[in-house]
Amino acid sequence: MTTLNEAPTVKGARRFDKPRTPQGKAGKFFEERLGLAGGLRKQLNKVFPDHWSFMMGEIALYSFIILILTGTFLTFFFDASMAEVRYDGSYVPLQGVEMSRAYASTLHISFDVRGGLILRQIHHWAALLFMAAMTIHMFRVFFTGAFRKPRELNWLIGLGLITLGLVEGFAGYSLPDDLLSGTGLRIAEAIMQSIPVIGTWVAFLAFGGKFPGTEIIGRLYIVHVLLVPGILAGLIGAHMALLIKQKHTEFPGPGKSEHTVSGERMYPTYAAKAGGFFFIVFAVCAALGGLAQINPIWLYGPYNTAQVSAGSQPDFYIGFLDGSTRLFPSWEIRLWHHTIPALFWPTIVLPGILFTLAGAYPFLEAKLTKDRAKHHLLQRPRDVPVRTGLGAMAITFYGVLLLSGGNDLIAKAFDISLNAMTWAGRIGMLLAPPLAYVIAYKACIGLQRHDREVLEHGIETGIIKRLPNGEFIEIHQPLGAVDDHGHGLLEYAGTPVPKKMNKLGNPQTARVKGFFRPVREKAEIEAELAALEQAEAERAASQRELTD
Amino acid sequence: MTDDTVDADSDLGFDPAVSDRDVPTAARAARASKAPSSSRGGGLRSKVSRKVSSVLVLIGALAAVGGGYSLLAPSSSADQTALSAADVETGRQLYESSCITCHGSNLQGVQGRGPSLIGVGSAATYFQVSTGRMPAAGQGATNNRKPAKFNEQQTQQIAAYVGSVGGGPQVPTGDLRGNPQNISDGGELFRLNCASCHNFAGKGAPLSAGKVAPSLNNATDLQLYTAMLSGPENMPVFSDNQITPDQKKAIIDYIQNLKASKDPGGAGLDRIGPVSEGLLIWTAGLGVLMVAILWIGRKS
């Protein structure tokens, strides 16, 4: 009788070749057929950084999973047809109204399918979350310089994900064929038509003839459930594969270097953390879906080309284009017998410029700074004030456009003239970004200076001392060794500098915070410290005895 | 004249089905059998006293007299002489104490203060006074709704007086809700004629240069009806030729049902569409998740 604990005794054969446990046998079965163990072991050991800012992209990933789950449910009941039907479902104010099957089936999902409304709402909230999370993830990558060589391609893939997210979201928003989404499609058609020379034909191609036609919902449906999600999934895969290949970036600090990674391994710590976080994201989406009404298509009514509602807005991620359209002057340019409508500039040229600049940024920065090196350590935003200023500028520009997309509602809520809002947007669009640049730049320099000051003079202890000559001085705690003048010798390294005595492991005992109650009480810690000190003293005494 | 009144009296009365509203209803044969839902309460009209009721009955009688005609053609100059002379007289006194400064002693208007009211009709007057827009607090791009200065009876009296000078569209009487069967027609008409300024849920929206299409939140049936009839401020007039009285009632029915309806999906977010949804995802959605991230980050 042999046990697993016994050393292998069979000559030449390793113990693992003859697994005895069911798991071991299953593992052998797959290993002999797939040969994945080596690679898998490597992946399971991948190290993920601990910093909170690395989890923003995860929100986007998890909302994508939620979108696929809820979206699949919705496809069971949605009918992407523009055939006219007379509604006879349970929503009374629309009974007897002529509408497309797409709209009728969305009403059916909302009112007559069990759990249909909440899943529709979770789907829509998750879509908004997907876009919002990608946006802030992009901010993180930008402001910390994570896009630098060798990660420029992943930056471009990310940009592609956001662009496709816009398309995917707009297609989904259009599917119910309600008055709001139909208005959005009408504007999309106008944007296509505004392209010089080919515009009319582009619109005919997309809509299969004149607007609205009978094709567009069916086409958008395939775009929404197959084409774009497929590409999105592929790009997300590539995004993650590159991330694993190139490894995570990390913030500089003690023990960090360009050639090391630190944090938690994929298995088990990170898997548990990420798994838990997935459920938090799902919980937030489910709570929103159950508590907050989104896209109440029954209030909008079916689409009818003769109708439009005041305050017809797109979802927030398209809002910046609505805003740019509202702000752009109505310049109609005629060149060589062709008209360039005013709509062309704010809806095609402007986003074209924005996305091109975003895509080119990593390369532009490398060119302008002549920095061709590979970077695995991040930079704190304050340490690259120009980039931070440019980012603040871009966000402010986007923010002004986004706010202007809802300027009618702001005008109404605050009793401001709509025309005044338009002009505020036009002026703000030009003046606010440079102002944001200056403020961000100055803030970065200020923060840097404070860090340097603490490195040089130490932390303010808050202890004021009166010298014999009557002078008052504040005692500073140096962070390290000091020179003859009491100035710290630590170099500025772009890492966080402690600013409070508490961050120094100051002998003052503090309780260890927990979620509901302290994990360890003050007395307990003090007792532990006392024991440590005593042990230290005893050790020193015995050392002395030994040396004596 | 007397014959008309008697005929009307025998034809008009209190519809027991709607007596909770304390409002006399023109019990036209078609309507008497129908029992409207008791949940449709009119806030303002519930305070109408019995005395006013008789005035309304009288006006209703007049409407009934010309009813067949007015359905076919809008009567902008109906005979106003049949109104109770005492009510018109009280209306004149109220007018002279509160309106005369801007609209003139003969309703001819005062340059730079207020327009002529000759021929605007009682409907326009009723709308402006009952919504508190008149007397105006000042001259601006728009006159916002505010608490009414006059009670229902006084408002009707002022309206009767103004209507007695030069005629114009009249304040309707009776039940202003259409047949509930027509609510979806009302919705179609609402989306076609009203939503472009007042928003799909009647939330209102700004127009150019500080002008406003107001929210319909607080509008009563009668205010909605008289607004359509008179086209206050920037609103177009929807005469009975464009939108028939039955269609107007269907629209009112749709609006009031919309306002009373609950939001099946949870909090309605003010029913203003994607802007409030966008605000919520960045605050309650992403905001909560950022807190979660920071918490997880601290625990690492």
Side-chain angles (χ1 to χ4, degrees):
Chain A
M1 175 104 191
T2 54
T3 66
L4 279 175
N5 289 335
E6 274 183 354
T9 49
V10 188
K11 49 184 186 264
R14 287 191 301 145
R15 184 178 54 138
F16 300 113
D17 288 348
K18 291 220 186 305
R20 283 145 201 262
T21 59
Q23 300 95 313
K25 283 175 182 161
K28 183 163 184 263
F29 175 86
F30 285 112
E31 178 56 19
E32 283 175 346
R33 284 157 183 82
L34 301 172
L36 286 175
L40 205 59
R41 169 170 290 269
K42 207 177 156 191
Q43 297 317 321
L44 289 178
N45 279 335
K46 171 167 170 50
V47 169
F48 284 83
D50 285 334
H51 198 265
W52 59 269
S53 66
F54 286 85
M55 301 189 82
M56 295 190 283
E58 280 177 42
I59 303 178
L61 177 66
Y62 301 152
S63 12
F64 184 73
I65 295 169
I66 297 167
L67 283 168
I68 294 205
L69 294 176
T70 51
T72 307
F73 175 85
L74 295 176
T75 60
F76 298 158
F77 304 98
F78 180 69
D79 183 357
S81 155
M82 292 175 89
E84 291 280 309
V85 287
R86 194 174 282 276
Y87 180 67
D88 61 352
S90 54
Y91 185 67
V92 175
L94 286 173
Q95 279 170 359
V97 174
E98 293 266 335
M99 57 183 65
S100 65
R101 298 184 74 93
Y103 186 67
S105 61
T106 314
L107 286 175
H108 179 67
I109 291 172
S110 305
F111 292 110
D112 299 309
V113 173
R114 194 176 295 273
L117 181 58
I118 190 172
L119 279 163
R120 229 197 87 215
Q121 297 203 140
I122 293 176
H123 188 72
H124 204 134
W125 282 119
L128 296 192
L129 187 63
F130 180 57
M131 295 306 298
M134 282 201 288
T135 310
I136 56 163
H137 174 58
M138 184 188 183
F139 292 169
R140 192 277 290 179
V141 169
F142 181 84
F143 284 112
T144 58
F147 57 80
R148 291 173 299 164
K149 187 178 173 185
R151 294 180 179 77
E152 304 100 320
L153 291 181
N154 233 7
W155 168 263
L156 289 177
I157 292 174
L159 211 57
L161 283 169
I162 289 182
T163 318
L164 282 171
L166 293 177
V167 175
E168 176 73 352
F170 184 77
Y173 165 94
S174 302
L175 287 183
D177 201 22
D178 56 280
L179 186 54
L180 188 65
S181 69
T183 305
L185 272 181
R186 180 56 138 175
I187 297 169
E189 190 225 9
I191 292 171
M192 290 176 199
Q193 285 182 335
S194 78
I195 304 170
V197 187
I198 57 165
T200 312
W201 307 107
V202 170
F204 279 178
L205 193 67
F207 286 82
K210 296 273 277 181
F211 180 86
T214 53
E215 305 285 323
I216 189 68
I217 298 292
R219 291 181 179 182
L220 284 176
Y221 186 58
I222 285 302
V223 167
H224 184 74
V225 303
L226 178 73
L227 189 63
V228 179
I231 305 174
L232 276 176
L235 283 182
I236 290 173
H239 205 61
M240 313 288 278
L242 263 178
L243 165 96
I244 289 170
K245 174 100 177 76
Q246 296 176 335
K247 300 189 174 51
H248 267 91
T249 52
E250 59 182 340
F251 280 103
K256 311 282 183 72
S257 82
E258 292 283 1
H259 310 289
T260 54
V261 287
S262 56
E264 297 288 357
R265 292 205 185 277
M266 165 88 108
Y267 187 84
T269 315
Y270 186 77
K273 197 163 117 177
F277 189 47
F278 170 75
F279 286 106
I280 293 178
V281 175
F282 208 136
V284 167
C285 288
L288 283 170
L291 298 173
Q293 181 164 289
I294 188 166
N295 200 20
I297 50 139
W298 54 91
L299 294 179
Y300 303 147
Y303 184 58
N304 178 329
T305 46
Q307 299 171 356
V308 68
S309 167
S312 289
Q313 257 106 359
D315 278 345
F316 87 85
Y317 43 84
I318 308 280
F320 76 105
L321 292 177
D322 192 339
S324 64
T325 307
R326 290 174 189 220
L327 297 186
F328 196 79
S330 56
W331 294 336
E332 190 176 282
I333 298 168
R334 293 186 153 272
L335 285 174
W336 300 292
H337 307 294
H338 283 289
T339 305
I340 306 178
L343 192 59
F344 179 61
W345 306 105
T347 57
I348 292 184
V349 174
L350 178 91
I353 293 173
L354 290 184
F355 279 88
T356 308
L357 273 180
Y361 186 83
F363 306 100
L364 286 177
E365 191 188 280
K367 195 172 174 65
L368 293 175
T369 57
K370 299 189 174 61
D371 180 358
R372 304 274 176 210
K374 283 188 179 182
H375 295 282
H376 299 289
L377 283 181
L378 297 173
Q379 290 165 309
R380 293 187 307 162
R382 72 185 64 174
D383 294 325
V384 199
V386 173
R387 182 201 293 146
T388 306
L390 289 174
M393 202 164 158
I395 292 174
T396 311
F397 183 73
Y398 180 87
V400 172
L401 295 187
L402 187 59
L403 279 179
S404 297
N407 64 4
D408 52 335
L409 293 164
I410 298 171
K412 179 152 190 300
F414 297 103
D415 233 343
I416 306 168
S417 159
L418 184 55
N419 302 45
M421 281 301 300
T422 305
W423 276 103
R426 285 173 179 168
I427 297 166
M429 175 178 87
L430 297 174
L431 287 190
L435 195 67
Y437 179 90
V438 173
I439 293 172
Y441 187 91
K442 296 270 182 196
C444 289
I445 300 288
L447 288 166
Q448 261 189 52
R449 281 196 186 143
H450 190 222
D451 281 356
R452 288 179 198 277
E453 188 191 307
V454 172
L455 286 174
E456 193 176 340
H457 297 292
I459 297 174
E460 295 174 347
T461 57
I463 300 166
I464 307 290
K465 191 166 147 190
R466 192 177 185 194
L467 300 181
N469 62 10
E471 184 191 352
F472 287 97
I473 57 161
E474 184 180 2
I475 309 248
H476 283 71
Q477 169 65 49
L479 292 175
V482 292
D483 63 12
D484 298 341
H485 304 286
H487 289 160
L489 294 171
L490 289 172
E491 290 278 321
Y492 185 86
T495 54
V497 173
K499 302 278 174 65
K500 284 181 190 163
M501 292 299 282
N502 264 358
K503 305 272 177 191
L504 286 186
N506 187 32
Q508 281 177 0
T509 49
R511 51 188 202 175
V512 178
K513 281 183 193 165
F515 196 85
F516 292 113
R517 64 175 74 85
V519 173
R520 291 157 81 206
E521 292 293 349
K522 205 167 168 177
E524 198 184 331
I525 300 169
E526 273 169 355
E528 229 171 89
L529 282 174
L532 272 175
E533 264 168 38
Q534 201 187 336
E536 179 72 14
E538 278 169 12
R539 198 177 57 81
S542 61
Q543 284 275 326
R544 215 174 304 129
E545 273 170 27
L546 281 174
T547 47
D548 289 347
Chain B
M1 190 65 256
T2 320
D3 283 349
D4 288 351
T5 315
V6 170
D7 280 358
D9 272 341
S10 64
D11 204 13
L12 299 166
F14 293 93
D15 185 346
V18 290
S19 62
D20 61 315
R21 279 192 260 162
D22 206 12
V23 170
T25 307
R28 286 191 262 159
R31 189 137 309 142
S33 57
K34 171 196 69 108
S37 145
S38 60
S39 66
R40 300 169 182 167
L44 262 172
R45 289 198 293 152
S46 62
K47 288 175 190 149
V48 177
S49 71
R50 222 182 155 75
K51 196 175 166 194
V52 173
S53 305
S54 59
V55 180
L56 287 173
V57 168
L58 208 60
I59 297 170
L62 281 159
V65 170
Y69 172 72
S70 65
L71 277 177
L72 299 170
S75 129
S76 59
S77 54
D79 184 11
Q80 298 277 339
T81 53
L83 285 163
S84 154
D87 282 324
V88 174
E89 175 57 21
T90 317
R92 188 184 64 78
Q93 285 168 8
L94 290 167
Y95 175 89
E96 290 186 348
S97 63
S98 299
C99 321
I100 199 167
T101 322
C102 301
H103 293 293
S105 53
N106 295 311
L107 288 77
Q108 79 280 23
V110 176
Q111 186 77 40
R113 286 197 207 148
S116 163
L117 299 182
I118 296 167
V120 300
S122 58
T125 315
Y126 178 85
F127 175 83
Q128 296 285 349
V129 177
S130 73
T131 60
R133 289 182 163 82
M134 286 290 150
Q139 292 192 338
T142 193
N143 252 338
N144 288 325
R145 189 185 182 102
K146 56 182 188 291
K149 285 271 183 231
F150 298 99
N151 65 26
E152 184 72 12
Q153 182 187 3
Q154 292 168 324
T155 307
Q156 289 280 8
Q157 285 165 337
I158 299 171
Y161 170 65
V162 174
S164 73
V165 183
Q170 294 172 36
V171 177
T173 54
D175 184 18
L176 297 177
R177 298 292 178 89
N179 183 349
Q181 302 284 319
N182 295 339
I183 189 169
S184 53
D185 294 341
E188 280 293 281
L189 288 164
F190 177 81
R191 287 189 288 275
L192 192 60
N193 295 290
C194 318
S196 57
C197 297
H198 290 285
N199 144 308
F200 58 85
K203 286 290 164 185
L207 305 171
S208 59
K211 290 176 280 191
V212 165
S215 159
L216 306 179
N217 267 357
N218 300 315
T220 63
D221 295 358
L222 194 54
Q223 286 165 353
L224 289 169
Y225 198 104
T226 50
M228 285 189 264
L229 212 52
S230 64
E233 298 193 3
N234 297 286
M235 182 168 160
V237 172
F238 294 98
S239 74
D240 288 350
N241 268 352
Q242 289 166 291
I243 295 182
T244 66
D246 278 344
Q247 289 177 328
K248 286 193 176 82
K249 288 174 185 172
I251 292 175
I252 292 171
D253 206 23
Y254 179 77
I255 295 172
Q256 304 293 38
N257 265 287
L258 191 67
K259 279 153 57 176
S261 66
K262 289 192 175 128
D263 288 310
L269 309 185
D270 205 31
R271 294 184 175 176
I272 52 170
V275 171
S276 53
E277 295 160 6
L279 197 61
L280 195 70
I281 198 67
W282 279 96
T283 50
L286 206 57
V288 167
L289 287 171
M290 289 303 285
V291 172
I293 285 177
L294 289 168
W295 179 60
I296 294 172
R298 268 182 81 91
K299 292 279 150 190
S300 299

